[in-house]
Amino acid sequence: MNTEMKTVQAILEDSFADDFEQICVFDCIDSTNAEAMRRMQAGHQTSQLIVAGSQTAGRGRRGRQWLSPAGGGIYLSLTRAFDRPLGELQGLSLVTALAVLETLLGLGLDQARVKWPNDILIDQRKLSGILLESCGNGGQQIIVFGIGINLALPRAVVADIDRPVTDLERELGRPVNTANLLVDLLENWHRHLASYCSEGFQPFVCQWNSFDRYHDVEIDIISGNTRISGIGRGVDATGALLLETASGLKTISGGELFPSVRPGRQE
Ligand code: BTN
């Protein structure tokens, strides 16, 4: 393992040994989410933390790739078991996004915002993505929380991504210490998760709505062949998106959000 990842491993083991059954750090792996799933299937069903310095087959939402070069980002997956049906766990991905957001605000990145359900943006440039995957086990759901944060993407990689992206080094004008970033993120995530498990998403609604990049902005929600247009009005107490459409306020639980491209849009 390279020196940086050895340091990361030592610091994570020092700080979080009691919080995870396993902490595994790799220089390079196919996908930390795939590794978490493999470990679950091999019987490690409780809490794991998998961190990698690069991924050869990083997975994004909707079957996309998550380009994961060494030094370009930090890539991690966490697992937790929940005794509730999947349908009641929608808020988890938003709560995870808020943990990432708080970590970035703590670095001085005041312009960081959330995009429903779980992206972190600087203006319209994506800085971090989250992919939740699940695996049912009797009455329990085991959720894999995959988080990717761009640290310093090489120009060639930026050119290969078909959407606007950015990274921490560009936005802050300085490099970031990976181990410190992970410690802050994991502390925020644990705190948010504990609060979500006892009180649900309600305590997070206000924070989400004040950092929502598309609050009061014209957006389209695309799901399969369906497009619904309206004005984003934040989220409700379950984490569903509220969209004010021509036919009234709609509650949206799935789909992908795009800024509206229609002429005369508000922004
Ligand atoms: C998205 O499309 O926005 C979600 C990207 C999630 C990427 C992370 S990187 C760590 C973890 N392992 C993966 O293969 N994907 C997630």
Side-chain angles (χ1 to χ4, degrees):
M1 206 189 305
N2 73 39
T3 324
E4 188 187 13
M5 295 317 277
K6 273 191 192 149
T7 309
V8 165
Q9 176 152 30
I11 291 178
L12 293 180
E13 279 170 357
D14 265 5
S15 314
F16 300 104
D18 293 340
D19 297 298
F20 295 101
E21 179 199 354
Q22 294 190 312
I23 297 178
C24 305
V25 178
F26 299 88
D27 276 338
C28 181
I29 197 166
D30 53 349
S31 149
T32 56
N33 269 31
E35 178 66 13
M37 288 280 189
R38 285 192 290 267
R39 282 170 189 260
M40 264 170 3
Q41 277 145 15
H44 299 286
Q45 306 241 314
T46 54
S47 55
Q48 308 171 58
L49 168 62
I50 319 281
V51 179
S54 63
Q55 301 182 118
T56 54
R59 313 209 279 232
R61 293 179 74 219
R62 304 182 180 280
R64 295 195 190 99
Q65 272 186 295
W66 184 260
L67 294 176
S68 315
I74 189 70
Y75 318 104
L76 68 148
S77 299
L78 305 127
T79 65
R80 276 286 186 276
F82 296 88
D83 291 324
R84 291 187 229 168
L86 211 48
E88 287 177 22
L89 295 172
Q90 157 163 272
L92 277 176
S93 80
L94 286 80
V95 161
T96 304
L98 288 174
V100 177
L101 176 80
E102 269 184 36
T103 307
L104 301 178
L105 294 173
L107 288 172
L109 210 55
D110 300 339
Q111 326 87 290
R113 294 290 178 272
V114 288
K115 173 189 163 201
W116 187 85
N118 58 20
D119 285 345
I120 307 292
L121 306 181
I122 303 288
D123 192 15
Q124 297 196 9
R125 305 183 294 281
K126 183 155 165 169
L127 179 58
S128 167
I130 295 168
L131 173 67
L132 264 58
E133 297 184 277
S134 67
C135 163
N137 172 32
Q140 270 196 332
Q141 302 298 327
I142 300 181
I143 309 279
V144 178
F145 299 79
I147 305 173
I149 303 177
N150 299 331
L151 294 179
L153 289 172
R155 275 174 197 277
V157 171
V158 173
D160 267 357
I161 302 176
D162 61 355
R163 292 165 182 229
V165 290
T166 190
D167 57 58
L168 278 177
E169 197 166 309
R170 263 185 199 87
E171 299 298 334
L172 289 170
R174 60 178 164 86
V176 164
N177 179 298
T178 310
N180 293 346
L181 175 74
L182 283 169
V183 169
D184 290 349
L185 171 59
L186 293 168
E187 282 172 355
N188 288 333
W189 184 75
H190 275 121
R191 207 181 55 255
H192 280 34
L193 207 65
S195 159
Y196 179 81
C197 288
S198 59
E199 298 173 79
F201 189 71
Q202 176 66 54
F204 298 97
V205 169
C206 201
Q207 187 188 16
W208 182 278
N209 289 344
S210 43
F211 285 95
D212 178 359
R213 170 65 183 80
Y214 293 105
H215 200 277
D216 297 335
V217 173
E218 280 197 38
I219 53 176
D220 293 329
I221 302 295
I222 299 183
S223 177
N225 294 326
T226 314
R227 172 191 300 256
I228 313 181
S229 301
I231 300 174
R233 296 295 189 207
V235 292
D236 71 9
T238 67
L241 178 73
L242 297 172
L243 187 69
E244 189 180 321
T245 70
S247 55
L249 193 66
K250 292 205 180 335
T251 302
I252 310 275
S253 297
E256 191 165 7
L257 185 160
F258 293 91
S260 170
V261 288
R262 281 166 298 134
R265 71 190 171 95
Q266 272 187 11
E267 254 219 282

